């Protein structure tokens, strides 16, 4: 529920801002707190009087995924699945969860075996190590951003489990101290995990050039605190409550005399506290507003991880909290070199943080409920329950409003309910630069190609700019085209000259525009084109005189194999 079925608190902020915008003379970028109260009151009067919030179709699922000013993307899983764009982070989500499950399995197994006996038990651990490495390595070709974070996470969990639970008989390497043997085997296991994760995907790595490989210090605008709370507020409140209660229980069960053992380190502790305060002040001074909350919570979580007697379940959740909080702080300090501002740096690392913090909040919530019901005073219990109910309901507003908005955000009102992602084309039109295109003709032609074209021949079709109707045959058939989506092709080949992509885009335009037979045949031979698409989109983009060559040279350079009105597919001879 926490990771995938609720949103952030952005819908509440969106409603509030919408109400304020109903008031006359509103400027949300400059208004003071008093101004906002006045606008809220005036807007409520307008809203009660029948005015509608100033939002259109698509806003209810889009705006909460952009809670920060300017370009950062604050996407989360429910938005990802509603938007239904098959991006890398969507595909990798299940793999990252598999890595976490593998880490839990290692902790639960506790490596309770003795060397060299119990061979079957060791084979089980070996297989678990192999599966974990397989999952970790899969993140590189799937969504490379995830690999470092989850590799560090899995490596730390494996080291902890091995160092704590590995039992080694005295007869094995008896000349070495037990702790040294345990450390050595733990390091070997870690090396096997990391080595396998790279080795299993070596064929991919040999042919992969990463275009973004360095970080820079972020010197631009930082996250406003209330925007940060809008995105993370629900999880932070749950986690903060659980940290408080764990600390309360720890102190309640610890005699005051236990503090005496810290007396020899008193000066060092004061120095550490002073360093933390200085760090927070410096970060606040350079504009990192979240420092006053995140730095103390990181420190607090780190102390609780080291608490003696805590269960592995809770220690793992604390480590997930620590990882998630550090990720949210990291994007305030560094940015991936080559990013658009810090758009993708926030987007990708926040997505990892959402996984960590949502699961941690869910576990914390589960542990809190019996404690709150049985051990909290009634006044505190009711206050917390009411506050939590409001937060959960606020996050669930996105689930209801965004889902409804996305369901109604259709290219046509006549689309039947279906799981077929092509159904809309049967009853929809698309206006391209003033030309209404009947998509049903493309639908039938695409179906013909799906049913009749064998292998992976190259096709050529009109290439349009981003976010326009284009590349539709390559998208829906999976067949390779001369070039794909212009920007993504350049972005994913950042280590190569951009001309490798832009030259192909220009070549496609020249191919459809030219009336020269030699240039036409050179294009077909150079890109090994087997099928040519001439549909309504091509006829709207290119002059009829240029397209006349397809009929003129039919049964000569190519042959029509599909014809449906103005939509023709030619097979190159």
């Amino acid at each position: 529920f926490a990771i995938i079925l609720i949103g952030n608190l952005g819908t509440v902020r969106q409603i509030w801002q919408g109400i304020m915008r109903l008031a006359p003379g509103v400027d949300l970028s400059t208004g003071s707190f008093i101004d906002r109260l006045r606008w809220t009151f005036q807007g409520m009067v307008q809203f009660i009087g029948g005015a509608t919030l100033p939002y259109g179709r698509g806003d209810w699922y889009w705006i909460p995924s952009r809670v920060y000013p300017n370009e950062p993307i604050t996407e989360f899983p429910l938005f990802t699945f509603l938007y239904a764009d098959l991006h890398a982070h969507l595909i990798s989500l299940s793999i990252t969860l598999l890595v976490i499950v593998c880490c839990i399995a290692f902790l639960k197994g506790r490596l309770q075996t003795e060397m060299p006996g119990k061979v079957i038990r060791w084979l089980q651990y070996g297989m678990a190590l192999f599966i974990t490495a397989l999952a970790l390595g899969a993140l590189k070709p799937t969504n490379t951003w995830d690999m470092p974070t989850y590799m560090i996470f899995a490596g730390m969990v494996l080291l902890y489990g091995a160092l704590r639970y590995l039992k080694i008989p005295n007869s094995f390497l008896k000349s070495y101290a037990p702790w040294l043997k345990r450390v050595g085997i733990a390091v070997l296991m870690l090396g096997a995990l990391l080595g396998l994760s790279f080795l299993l995907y070596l064929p991919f790595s040999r042919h992969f050039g990463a275009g973004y490989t360095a970080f820079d210090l972020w010197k631009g605008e930082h996250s406003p605190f209330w925007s940060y709370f809008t995105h993370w507020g629900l999880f932070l409140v749950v986690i903060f409550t659980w940290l408080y209660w764990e600390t309360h229980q720890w102190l309640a069960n610890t005699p005051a005399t236990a503090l005496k053992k810290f007396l020899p380190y008193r000066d060092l502790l004061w120095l550490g506290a002073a360093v933390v305060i200085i760090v927070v002040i410096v970060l606040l001074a350079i504009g990192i507003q979240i420092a006053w909350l995140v730095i103390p919570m990181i420190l607090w979580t780190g102390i609780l991880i080291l608490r003696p007697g805590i269960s592995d379940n809770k220690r793992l959740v604390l480590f997930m909290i620590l990882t998630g909080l550090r990720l949210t702080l990291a994007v305030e300090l560094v940015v991936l070199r080559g990013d658009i501002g810090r758009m993708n740096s926030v987007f990708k690392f926040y997505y990892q943080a959402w996984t960590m913090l949502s699961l941690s909040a869910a576990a914390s919530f589960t542990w809190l409920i019996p404690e709150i019901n049985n051990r909290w005073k009634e006044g505190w219990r009711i206050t917390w329950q009411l506050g939590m109910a409001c937060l959960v309901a606020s996050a669930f507003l996105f689930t209801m409003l965004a889902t409804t908005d996305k369901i109604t955000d259709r290219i046509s009102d006549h689309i039947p309910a279906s799981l077929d992602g092509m159904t809309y084309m049967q009853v929809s039109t698309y206006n391209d630069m003033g030309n209404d295109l009947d998509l049903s003709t493309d639908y039938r032609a695409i179906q013909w190609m799906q049913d009749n074209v064998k292998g992976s021949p190259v096709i050529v079709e009109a290439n349009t700019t981003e976010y326009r109707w284009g590349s539709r045959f390559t998208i829906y058939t999976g067949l390779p085209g001369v070039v794909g989506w212009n920007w993504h092709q350049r972005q994913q080949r950042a280590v190569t000259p951009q001309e490798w992509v832009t030259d192909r885009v220009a070549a496609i335009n020249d191919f459809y525009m030219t009336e020269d037979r030699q240039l036409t045949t050179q294009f077909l031979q150079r890109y090994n084109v087997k099928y040519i698409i001439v549909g309504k989109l091509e006829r709207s983009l290119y002059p009829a005189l240029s397209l006349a060559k397809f009929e003129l040279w039919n049964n000569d350079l190519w042959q029509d194999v599909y014809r449906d009105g103005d939509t023709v597919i030619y097979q190159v001879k």
Side-chain angles (χ1 to χ4, degrees), residues 511 514 516-528 553 557-558 572:
F511 167 71
T514 187
D516 185 283
R517 181 185 177 99
Q518 184 178 357
L519 293 177
T520 300
T521 55
Q522 286 176 353
F523 172 87
L524 296 175
Q525 291 169 2
R526 179 178 183 181
Y527 296 110
N528 195 28
W553 298 329
L557 296 181
W558 44 70
V572 179

Side-chain angles (χ1 to χ4, degrees), residues 234-278:
L234 172 60
F235 301 148
L236 287 178
V237 170
V238 175
I239 289 169
F240 186 92
T241 306
W242 181 64
L243 293 179
Y244 159 76
W245 187 248
E246 285 293 303
T247 305
H248 177 275
Q249 294 299 98
W250 181 20
L251 295 178
N253 296 321
T254 303
T257 54
L259 296 176
K260 292 182 179 179
K261 62 184 179 182
F262 292 108
L263 287 176
Y265 311 101
R266 177 174 52 191
D267 294 338
L268 189 61
L269 291 173
W270 279 114
L271 177 62
V275 169
V276 171
I277 293 172
I278 291 172

Side-chain angles (χ1 to χ4, degrees), residues 240-509:
F240 186 92
T241 306
W242 181 64
L243 293 179
Y244 159 76
W245 187 248
E246 285 293 303
T247 305
H248 177 275
Q249 294 299 98
W250 181 20
L251 295 178
N253 296 321
T254 303
T257 54
L259 296 176
K260 292 182 179 179
K261 62 184 179 182
F262 292 108
L263 287 176
Y265 311 101
R266 177 174 52 191
D267 294 338
L268 189 61
L269 291 173
W270 279 114
L271 177 62
V275 169
V276 171
I277 293 172
I278 291 172
V279 168
V280 171
I281 292 173
V282 169
L283 292 179
L284 289 173
I286 63 176
I288 302 179
Q289 299 180 21
I290 67 171
W292 69 269
L293 175 66
V294 176
I295 295 292
M297 285 192 70
I298 289 174
L299 180 64
W300 190 6
T301 305
I303 292 172
L304 288 177
I305 285 180
L306 301 176
R307 183 177 68 159
I310 191 173
S311 70
D312 287 338
N313 292 341
K314 291 185 176 180
R315 188 165 274 127
L316 179 66
V317 168
L318 286 167
F319 186 48
M320 291 172 68
I321 294 171
L322 194 62
T323 303
L325 290 173
R326 286 186 297 188
L327 287 169
T328 68
L329 181 62
V331 298
E332 305 296 325
L333 301 171
V334 296
V335 63
L336 191 69
R337 185 178 299 170
D339 196 359
I340 304 170
R342 60 171 186 155
M343 179 176 72
N344 288 297
S345 298
V346 172
F347 170 22
K348 295 290 189 175
F349 290 122
Y350 262 37
Y351 213 79
Q352 298 168 13
W354 185 281
T355 301
M356 297 289 181
L357 295 179
S358 64
L359 293 176
S360 302
S364 302
F365 189 81
T366 305
W367 289 321
L368 274 173
I369 292 303
E371 298 292 322
I372 291 172
N373 288 338
N374 299 323
R375 305 186 66 176
W376 282 31
K377 293 181 180 180
E378 184 177 8
W380 286 109
R381 173 171 55 82
I382 293 175
T383 301
W384 188 86
Q385 289 174 341
L386 287 174
M388 188 53 54
C390 289
L391 283 173
V392 172
S394 297
F396 199 67
L397 277 175
F398 181 86
T399 311
M400 295 184 295
L401 297 178
T403 303
T404 303
D405 189 25
K406 190 64 173 68
I407 289 172
T408 58
D409 188 12
R410 315 290 281 170
I411 193 172
S412 169
D413 294 330
H414 305 293
I415 303 172
S418 171
L419 294 178
D420 183 354
M422 289 177 59
T423 300
Y424 75 96
M425 297 170 66
Q426 299 180 55
V427 293
S428 302
T429 59
Y430 178 84
N431 186 277
D432 186 82
M433 306 295 288
N435 298 310
D436 286 327
L437 309 181
D438 180 3
L439 302 187
S440 65
T441 58
D442 280 345
Y443 174 79
R444 292 189 293 271
I446 289 169
Q447 281 199 317
W448 181 88
M449 295 197 79
Q450 290 174 336
D451 295 337
N452 293 279
V453 175
K454 295 179 174 59
S456 297
V458 177
I459 65 178
V460 61
E461 58 184 319
N463 186 273
T464 58
T465 55
E466 286 73 14
Y467 302 106
R468 279 176 62 185
W469 183 249
S471 302
R472 71 275 197 212
F473 281 81
T474 54
I475 288 171
Y476 286 105
T477 65
L479 296 175
V482 175
V483 69
W485 212 49
N486 188 335
W487 164 240
H488 275 181
Q489 293 296 330
R490 287 185 286 126
Q491 187 182 42
Q492 293 165 7
R493 289 166 175 78
V495 295
T496 64
Q498 290 196 2
E499 290 76 15
W500 287 17
V501 176
T502 57
D503 285 353
R504 286 178 175 242
V505 174
I508 292 175
N509 288 327

